[in-house]
């Protein structure tokens, strides 16, 4: 294929990026005349020390690709067809594609890329994308990073997801046995939403069909909305008699979900989500503080977990804002203190409410048990007193009869 050849003259091609082979079609600030399929070329210089050494490309994409080096096809992901129906989209999520260059100097990486969703209008630019990104490194480094990401990150996310699913099941069963206590129902929904969010986050980090990847993104978004709605329901049930604000939060969450389905502008959705998150956070904080000031039943225990959760959410939000680059990418790695701190804060954020709720339910169970034991002792004491009175009355009556 001529366009993949190393000697092809592409001087009249549009220059997309001068330093990195990275193109995000839906979000790019540069105008790209992309009709669903196209070629992308990049020139790289290899020194003598890097020759005959395993190198690797890691591509993350939302379409299908064929990858060429110096005109020779070295791999690809999905099926590049003549139209949308003939194409199959696959996201390898930066799985390393190994290759070796035996000569130093200038080489050409060419990618034939297809994603017809943009031309057919099927793309939802709010949660989906049409483009791809590529990074290059040594084979060992790329493999180590990929394995580390899948095994360690996946292990943590799946373990936490399993933990929250267990909490969901336990509290749902508790609610079935005592349906008047809706705190267990709301906490069960909260745990299910967190488990879904964690699992779908893991799904987005592994190689998948783009259709599955997109579906996972929608589930992840819906779970995020459910987390804040169920948390609002929990704090309202525990600390508020009027549920007006809870219904407002539900309405805003449903509106945010409907906005994605109807594909409104990204700016409008961002504003709506910010209002939704801030409203849910402020409402929970205010209700908790009021309950603490009134010394309501269990307010201290649950309040600490809710307030800590909200505080850590704000800390994470600020951290991500700080880590966001000028091209709207978030750069956080485990190689620096910030990356480790973010992981620890995220774990604390996820666990503070379950821990506080577990302590509250244990304390509530102990309180109810003490009350039942106390009532049982009072009942026993009352029965003993009545028995003693009856015995005295019997003796007196027996004495009266004997006297007569």
């Amino acid at each position: 294929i001529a366009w993949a050849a190393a000697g092809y003259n592409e001087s009249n091609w549009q220059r997309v990026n001068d330093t990195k082979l990275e193109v995000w079609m839906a979000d790019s600030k540069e105008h790209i005349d992309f009709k669903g399929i196209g070629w992308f070329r990049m020139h790289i210089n290899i020194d003598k020390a890097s020759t005959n050494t395993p190198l690797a490309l890691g591509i993350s994409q939302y379409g299908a690709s064929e990858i060429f080096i110096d005109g020779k096809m070295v791999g690809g992901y999905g099926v590049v067809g003549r139209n949308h129906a003939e194409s199959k989209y696959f996201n390898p999520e930066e799985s390393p594609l190994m290759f070796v260059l035996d000569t130093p100097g200038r080489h050409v990486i060419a990618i034939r890329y297809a994603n017809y969703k943009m031309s057919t209008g099927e793309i939802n630019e709010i949660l989906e994308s049409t483009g791809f990104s590529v990074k290059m490194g040594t084979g060992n480094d790329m493999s180590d990073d990929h394995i580390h990401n899948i095994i360690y990150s996946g292990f943590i996310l799946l373990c936490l997801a399993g933990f929250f699913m267990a909490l969901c099941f336990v509290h749902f069963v508790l609610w079935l046995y005592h349906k008047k206590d809706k705190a267990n129902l709301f906490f069960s929904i909260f745990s299910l939403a967190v488990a879904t969010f964690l699992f779908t986050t893991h799904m987005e980090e592994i190689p998948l069909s783009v259709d599955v990847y997109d579906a996972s993104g929608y589930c992840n978004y819906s779970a995020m909305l459910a987390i804040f709605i169920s948390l609002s329901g929990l704090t309202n049930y525990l600390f508020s008699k009027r549920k007006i604000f809870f219904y407002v939060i539900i309405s805003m969450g449903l509106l945010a979900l409907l906005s994605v389905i109807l594909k409104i502008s990204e700016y409008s959705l961002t504003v709506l989500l910010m209002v939704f998150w801030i409203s849910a956070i402020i409402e929970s904080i205010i209700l908790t503080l009021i309950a603490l000031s009134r010394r309501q039943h269990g307010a201290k225990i649950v309040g600490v977990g809710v307030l800590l959760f909200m505080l850590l959410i704000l800390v994470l939000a600020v951290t991500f804002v700080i880590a966001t680059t000028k091209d709207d990418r978030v750069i956080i790695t485990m190689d620096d203190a910030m990356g480790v701190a973010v992981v620890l804060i995220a774990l604390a954020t996820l666990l503070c409410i379950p821990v506080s709720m577990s302590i509250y339910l244990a304390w509530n169970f102990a309180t109810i048990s003490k009350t039942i034991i106390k009532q049982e002792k009072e009942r026993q004491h009352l029965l003993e007193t009545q028995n003693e009175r009856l015995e005295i009355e019997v003796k007196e009556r027996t004495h009266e009869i004997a006297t007569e």
Side-chain angles (χ1 to χ4, degrees):
I1 300 176
W3 288 341
Y8 181 81
N9 182 13
E10 76 278 6
S11 59
N12 62 338
W13 285 28
Q14 179 184 0
R15 186 177 295 277
V16 176
N17 195 307
D18 194 31
T19 58
K20 293 180 295 184
L21 185 59
E22 185 174 50
V23 182
W24 294 98
M25 310 301 183
D27 302 321
S28 178
K29 296 178 182 179
E30 299 174 308
H31 173 69
I32 301 175
D33 188 19
F34 186 72
K35 302 299 184 183
I37 187 168
W39 282 87
F40 301 84
R41 289 167 56 93
M42 180 180 181
H43 294 264
I44 59 174
N45 284 308
I46 299 296
D47 57 22
K48 189 174 181 179
S50 299
T51 59
N52 298 313
T53 301
L55 302 175
L57 292 174
I59 184 170
S60 178
Q61 65 182 31
Y62 296 87
S65 62
E66 295 173 351
I67 304 170
F68 300 81
I69 296 179
D70 295 335
K72 180 181 178 181
M73 186 173 178
V74 295
Y77 301 99
V79 177
V80 178
R82 292 173 296 179
N83 51 49
H84 181 61
E86 294 180 1
S87 300
K88 293 182 180 180
Y89 305 143
F90 184 82
N91 186 2
E93 197 54 45
E94 298 184 351
S95 298
L97 177 62
M98 299 292 185
F99 65 95
V100 175
L101 297 174
D102 54 8
T103 58
R106 198 174 183 84
H107 297 270
V108 175
I109 298 174
I111 295 179
R112 184 181 180 224
Y113 182 76
N115 189 333
Y116 294 95
K117 285 187 177 182
M118 188 176 235
S119 58
T120 59
E122 297 180 21
I123 189 73
N124 188 335
E125 294 185 11
I126 298 174
L127 292 181
E128 302 174 27
S129 185
T130 53
F132 67 94
S133 66
V134 176
K135 66 180 183 180
M136 179 177 172
T138 65
N140 290 335
D141 290 342
M142 294 282 288
S143 296
D144 290 344
D145 291 343
H146 188 66
I147 293 173
H148 178 273
N149 184 56
I150 290 180
I151 294 180
Y152 293 101
S153 300
F155 176 77
I156 293 173
L157 290 174
L158 291 178
C159 284
L160 287 173
F163 170 72
F164 278 98
M165 280 302 298
L167 286 178
C168 169
F169 176 76
V170 170
H171 287 275
F172 184 73
V173 171
L174 290 175
W175 174 73
L176 290 177
Y177 276 101
H178 190 209
K179 292 186 177 181
K180 290 184 178 181
D181 187 7
K182 293 183 180 179
N184 282 309
L185 175 61
F186 283 117
F187 187 63
S188 176
I189 296 173
F190 172 82
S191 299
L192 177 61
V194 174
T196 303
F197 181 82
L198 293 170
F199 180 74
T200 51
T201 299
H202 168 67
M203 292 285 286
E204 294 177 359
E205 297 295 328
I206 60 178
L208 285 173
S209 164
V210 171
D211 291 335
V212 178
Y213 189 89
D214 290 341
S216 178
Y218 282 97
C219 290
N220 187 275
Y221 177 78
S222 301
M224 179 271 295
L225 297 177
I227 288 173
F228 286 92
I229 292 175
S230 57
L231 184 59
S232 174
L234 179 62
T235 52
N236 270 274
Y237 176 78
L238 292 174
F239 303 138
S240 177
K241 294 181 180 180
R242 300 176 64 184
K243 305 297 187 292
I244 297 177
F245 289 107
F246 174 52
Y247 298 134
V248 171
I249 296 297
I250 291 178
S251 301
M252 292 176 64
L254 294 176
L255 182 60
L257 183 61
L258 185 63
S259 299
V260 170
I261 296 174
L262 296 178
K263 302 180 182 180
I264 69 168
S265 69
E266 186 175 354
Y267 175 78
S268 300
L269 179 61
T270 301
V271 173
L272 176 60
L273 284 176
M274 290 301 296
V275 174
F276 169 72
W277 289 331
I278 293 173
S279 300
I281 291 172
I282 292 177
E283 182 214 22
S284 295
I285 291 175
I286 291 175
L287 288 177
T288 304
L289 291 175
I290 292 175
L292 288 171
S293 65
R294 293 176 178 176
R295 298 182 179 180
Q296 286 184 232
H297 182 77
K300 289 184 178 179
I301 300 174
V302 178
V304 169
V306 172
L307 291 176
L308 186 59
F309 175 80
M310 296 303 180
L311 176 63
L312 293 176
I313 285 287
L314 292 175
V315 171
L316 283 175
V318 172
T319 303
F320 276 93
V321 170
I322 294 174
T324 302
T325 61
K326 292 182 180 180
D327 58 351
D328 296 329
R329 297 184 64 197
V330 178
I331 306 299
I332 295 177
T333 66
M334 292 296 292
D335 297 331
D336 54 23
M338 178 177 283
V340 176
V342 167
V343 172
L344 294 177
I345 293 173
L347 289 174
T349 303
L350 289 171
L351 295 175
C352 56
I353 286 184
V355 170
S356 64
M357 279 300 299
S358 297
I359 295 174
Y360 166 75
L361 292 173
W363 171 78
N364 191 46
F365 178 78
T367 302
I368 294 174
S369 298
K370 288 181 180 179
T371 302
I372 293 174
I373 293 172
K374 183 179 179 181
Q375 291 175 348
E376 181 65 22
K377 288 183 178 180
E378 290 177 351
R379 189 178 70 84
Q380 290 291 339
H381 178 71
L382 181 62
L383 289 174
E384 291 175 359
T385 303
Q386 289 177 345
N387 288 334
E388 290 176 358
R389 289 179 180 177
L390 286 173
E391 289 178 0
I392 293 173
E393 290 177 0
V394 168
K395 288 181 180 180
E396 291 178 350
R397 184 58 181 166
T398 301
H399 179 71
E400 289 176 1
I401 293 174
T403 303
E404 293 177 358

